[in-house]
Amino acid sequence: MWAMHDSAENGEMRSKEEIREIAKGFTKSGMARRQYCAKHGVAMTTLDYWRRVGGKQKPKLLPVAIEEARSLAGFALVLANGRRIESSWNFVAADLEKLIGVAES
């Protein structure tokens, strides 16, 4: 543990392993952040950053299959208020006009 502190004092960069150990050690220490950071020669914001990014792993890419879009016979009616009505039913023009009139009233 002292080697980590010494390497930072000598101007050397800490290794990823040293950073992980310091970040993990804080939770186990039971110490206040300020006290723990002073003991290890680390700024509190640096410790917070290490703790935040330390446990994250890069997201894994998964293979996907792309299917062709299927064309459905029908219509989509978008009203002025943003509401959307979709249907695969076929309407006679007069019935569709009635539906629009009711929907917009």
Side-chain angles (χ1 to χ4, degrees):
M1 196 61 107
W2 288 108
M4 286 185 269
H5 190 64
D6 291 341
S7 66
E9 282 182 353
N10 294 330
E12 296 176 24
M13 296 280 294
R14 287 189 165 105
S15 70
K16 288 181 182 181
E17 187 56 38
E18 288 173 323
I19 291 169
R20 276 190 214 104
E21 290 302 316
I22 291 171
K24 284 182 193 176
F26 170 68
T27 307
K28 296 175 186 176
S29 74
M31 298 170 77
R33 252 175 57 233
R34 185 178 310 276
Q35 182 184 12
Y36 187 82
C37 289
K39 178 180 177 181
H40 292 282
V42 176
M44 287 193 299
T45 54
T46 302
L47 176 66
D48 293 342
Y49 174 77
W50 289 349
R51 293 178 65 217
R52 195 170 50 252
V53 299
K56 293 184 181 178
Q57 295 178 354
K58 291 184 180 180
K60 294 180 182 178
L61 299 177
L62 301 175
V64 296
I66 300 174
E67 297 179 8
E68 282 189 43
R70 296 183 200 140
S71 175
L72 299 175
F75 71 94
L77 174 66
V78 181
L79 305 175
N81 63 6
R83 290 187 178 168
R84 182 180 181 95
I85 301 171
E86 294 185 41
S87 175
S88 59
W89 297 338
N90 291 321
F91 284 92
V92 178
D95 292 338
L96 187 54
E97 286 177 25
K98 287 179 190 176
L99 173 63
I100 292 170
V102 170
E104 289 188 332
S105 60

